[in-house]
Amino acid sequence: MAMKKKAVTGMRDILPEEMEVRNYVLSVIRDTYRSYGFSAIETPHVEHLENLLSKQGGENEKLIFKILKRGEKLDLSGPTTEEAVSDCGLRYDLTLPLSRYYACHQSELPSPFKALQIGSVFRADRPQRGRFRQFTQCDIDILGEASWIAETDLILATSRALLNIGFKDFTIRINDRKLLKATADKAGFTEDQYEQIFITLDKMDKIGEDGVREELGSAFGMDKTDVYLSLLKEDPKALIEETGSALNEIIAAVENAKSPEFKIVYDPTLVRGMGYYTGPIFEISMDEYGGSVGGGGRYDEMIGRFTGQDTPACGFSIGFERIIMLLMERGFRVPGEHRKCAFLIDKKMPKERMTEIWAEAEKMRRDGITVDIAQMKKNRKFQKEQLEKNGYTEIRDFYSDSLQH
């Protein structure tokens, strides 16, 4: 009896054509980040639940894939609540594992430490365009640098990676959590109301200003809501000075150093969903996607949850799956691809000739050419089309009858 062809919903099988693009993009990202002084590290896919449920991950803590205890630790004779039967879970991002990693290895690492981390993360989310339950994140973080040097370096490195891949005309939007809180305070909201306010404000690009006004008004009253939305439109200069925000320095430094192919703009409605951000926050917007394709910010209090002492920290993550989706929709092909040749062999080929063909293929491979040897199918037209789709620009047919004459 044949097995059912059933894949896990929201998790993808990746075909060779896309895999080639993914590998190329990953190599560009790695090379770019290394040129900015970032060092590659790796953390486990699995973390202790007490770390994952530290109230630092915002809504993502509701999307954790939890893992059953094993062996003697698993006791099904007593209560079978999630807390009783699970003690680990799959990581939902790379930031929290990095914080735990730094807390464990701080004495072995330079200061500041510039980390490059690429890997799979998992969220029990509702799958949709550009959003999956298993996906790759590409993160760079600077730990131990309290000044705006960190934000500037992260923004320039991430934008350079996107430019090197081939993206242009994108926008980096920037705000500061300090400004968000100060604005809410001036409007008369209390600190315990901030989270709900920011969750609603974060929907601005989806439901518009009228939708945000309606939602906040029904929760907190229209008077406070109108004051708040009015304050968001004011020049932030006074608030920046009052809060000590480094937004002006970051924007000026990026503007002075960046190439003209992208913009950086202040966006007073930018929130970022994670609860651990403490200062400047930023996102990458692309019109062709209609949303964010990357984001990050400063999270100076997360490492202190592990060590008892706060450590300056700032990071930026590229939405890898989303940029791959955009490239595939464009029909992107890997540039400067080396020569790929396919040998199609007649199944009646004499053994002596076969050995000659294998020797010829090995010589070509030593010269840096990719050579695939395959038996000729009845439907050669379809076979060739599939090879061409996978980048084989040269296809050679070897017929046994013509070779015997």
Side-chain angles (χ1 to χ4, degrees):
M1 183 178 178
M3 294 179 65
K4 291 183 178 178
K5 300 175 182 177
K6 193 171 183 180
V8 178
T9 304
M11 298 187 181
R12 306 169 57 230
D13 296 322
I14 300 173
L15 297 176
E17 182 182 7
E18 180 179 337
M19 200 67 208
E20 194 161 13
V21 174
R22 293 171 75 92
N23 286 337
Y24 166 75
V25 171
L26 284 173
S27 70
V28 172
I29 291 172
R30 285 193 180 97
D31 289 346
T32 302
Y33 286 160
R34 286 187 187 121
S35 74
Y36 281 78
F38 290 89
S39 300
I41 67 163
E42 188 170 7
T43 58
H45 288 67
V46 176
E47 291 283 340
H48 285 291
L49 275 179
E50 61 190 81
N51 294 340
L52 295 173
L53 295 172
S54 62
K55 301 190 184 301
Q56 295 289 295
E59 291 295 301
N60 289 326
E61 293 190 8
K62 300 176 183 178
L63 306 175
I64 297 170
F65 282 102
K66 297 178 180 178
I67 301 172
L68 280 176
K69 295 178 180 177
R70 289 292 182 266
E72 296 178 356
K73 290 185 177 181
L74 180 60
D75 180 10
L76 297 178
S77 61
T80 55
T81 61
E82 286 188 357
E83 294 75 12
V85 299
S86 300
D87 57 359
C88 293
L90 297 177
R91 61 191 183 188
Y92 53 73
D93 74 358
L94 298 179
T95 306
L96 188 137
L98 172 64
S99 298
R100 194 260 318 142
Y101 172 98
Y102 187 75
C104 293
H105 302 284
Q106 185 174 355
S107 63
E108 307 164 62
L109 298 170
S111 183
F113 177 52
K114 302 176 73 172
L116 160 59
Q117 194 177 184
I118 298 175
S120 295
V121 299
F122 306 84
R123 296 177 190 172
D125 207 347
R126 182 169 61 88
Q128 52 189 291
R129 181 174 181 262
R131 187 185 294 271
F132 308 102
R133 290 180 170 177
Q134 176 183 341
F135 55 98
T136 298
Q137 282 191 338
C138 303
D139 285 18
I140 47 173
D141 294 79
I142 301 177
L143 311 179
E145 175 57 70
S147 78
W148 51 268
I149 290 174
E151 283 88 345
T152 304
D153 210 13
L154 290 166
I155 291 170
L156 289 173
T158 303
S159 59
R160 175 49 54 189
L162 290 173
L163 291 169
N164 287 347
I165 292 165
F167 288 100
K168 295 180 180 179
D169 301 322
F170 53 88
T171 300
I172 293 181
R173 299 183 294 129
I174 187 169
N175 197 5
D176 194 320
R177 278 291 178 115
K178 294 176 183 176
L179 301 185
L180 283 169
K181 291 178 180 179
T183 303
D185 180 66
K186 284 184 178 295
F189 295 109
T190 57
E191 191 170 348
D192 62 317
Q193 295 173 328
Y194 290 173
E195 184 177 358
Q196 186 177 350
I197 294 165
F198 297 159
I199 288 172
T200 301
L201 184 62
D202 199 33
K203 301 176 185 176
M204 182 70 79
D205 59 339
K206 299 181 181 67
I207 63 176
E209 184 176 332
D210 289 342
V212 170
R213 175 179 282 106
E214 182 179 347
E215 194 167 314
L216 288 178
S218 63
F220 303 107
M222 202 56 74
D223 290 343
K224 279 187 181 179
T225 297
D226 285 338
V227 171
Y228 179 59
L229 292 177
S230 176
L231 287 171
L232 288 175
K233 296 176 183 178
E234 290 185 359
D235 188 327
K237 182 179 179 180
L239 270 184
I240 287 174
E241 291 182 3
E242 179 184 319
T243 60
S245 170
L247 278 191
N248 286 339
E249 289 85 351
I250 296 167
I251 293 173
V254 172
E255 285 283 7
N256 187 59
K258 78 178 187 68
S259 61
E261 291 94 345
F262 74 94
K263 296 181 293 185
I264 180 168
V265 298
Y266 164 64
D267 182 352
T269 67
L270 178 64
V271 174
R272 299 289 296 154
M274 304 301 237
Y276 49 65
Y277 291 119
T278 60
I281 49 177
F282 21 84
E283 281 190 353
I284 308 164
S285 296
M286 288 186 185
D287 290 340
E288 62 183 302
Y289 177 67
S292 169
V293 296
R298 182 165 286 278
Y299 54 100
D300 288 345
E301 298 173 0
M302 182 182 283
I303 295 172
R305 297 293 182 100
F306 295 100
T307 64
Q309 182 177 353
D310 287 345
T311 299
C314 197
F316 210 151
S317 178
I318 287 178
F320 181 75
E321 304 296 345
R322 295 176 183 180
I323 66 170
I324 292 297
M325 179 191 71
L326 294 175
L327 290 173
M328 297 304 293
E329 289 176 353
R330 290 180 180 182
F332 177 83
R333 298 302 295 265
V334 174
E337 191 176 350
H338 68 277
R339 183 178 163 196
K340 295 177 75 173
C341 180
F343 290 178
L344 300 184
I345 308 297
D346 188 340
K347 64 181 179 179
K348 297 179 181 179
M349 179 73 64
K351 291 181 181 179
E352 296 78 12
R353 179 55 178 147
M354 287 287 290
T355 59
E356 294 174 3
I357 292 171
W358 247 274
E360 184 178 354
E362 283 300 295
K363 182 179 182 301
M364 292 174 69
R365 289 163 179 158
R366 286 195 296 271
D367 292 337
I369 303 167
T370 295
V371 181
D372 183 23
I373 300 176
Q375 190 174 97
M376 200 177 294
K377 306 295 184 182
K378 287 184 179 180
N379 189 344
R380 290 207 319 281
K381 183 175 181 293
F382 178 75
Q383 187 177 15
K384 289 182 177 181
E385 287 174 353
Q386 292 299 107
L387 287 166
E388 289 169 355
K389 187 177 179 181
N390 285 311
Y392 286 87
T393 55
E394 182 180 347
I395 301 172
R396 297 169 61 181
D397 291 342
F398 291 89
Y399 291 96
S400 60
D401 54 351
S402 63
L403 294 167
Q404 289 173 346
H405 294 290

